[in-house]
Amino acid sequence: MKTNCENFRYVEKARPHRDLTFKFYNDGKLVIIDNNTEEVIRPKDLRGDSRDFYVRKRIAFIKNVVAASQLKYA
């Protein structure tokens, strides 16, 4: 099975205005990269609007997985 990845870029509205790239893989893996420092960030290190962005995208990912499973087994 080929691993696909969806990339989302997000710039925080509050200081320190981190420029983040979220990589959501179809196997459930997640990588968050700070584009300025090229560091990998853990989801628990997110705050405020970037955490909200992450949660919304994760929920959308889960909904898509559930919908695909329902279609597959329906």
Side-chain angles (χ1 to χ4, degrees), residues 5-6 8 10 15 22 25 28 33 35-37 39 42-43 47 49 51 54 59 64 66 73:
C5 175
E6 286 188 72
F8 297 96
Y10 187 80
R15 292 199 182 268
F22 292 80
Y25 293 89
I33 301 170
N35 294 323
N36 296 329
T37 62
E39 289 183 49
R42 298 177 302 190
R47 293 188 187 93
D49 57 325
R51 184 173 185 86
Y54 159 71
I59 289 170
N64 288 338
V66 170
Y73 296 109

Side-chain angles (χ1 to χ4, degrees), residues 18-20 32-41:
R18 292 185 294 188
D19 181 6
L20 305 172
I32 305 169
I33 301 170
D34 183 335
N35 294 323
N36 296 329
T37 62
E38 297 184 8
E39 289 183 49
V40 175
I41 298 173

Side-chain angles (χ1 to χ4, degrees), residues 38-62:
E38 297 184 8
E39 289 183 49
V40 175
I41 298 173
R42 298 177 302 190
K44 71 179 193 176
D45 295 333
L46 298 173
R47 293 188 187 93
D49 57 325
S50 58
R51 184 173 185 86
D52 184 55
F53 177 81
Y54 159 71
V55 169
R56 290 178 189 272
K57 291 297 180 184
R58 180 58 97 184
I59 289 170
F61 172 79
I62 293 168

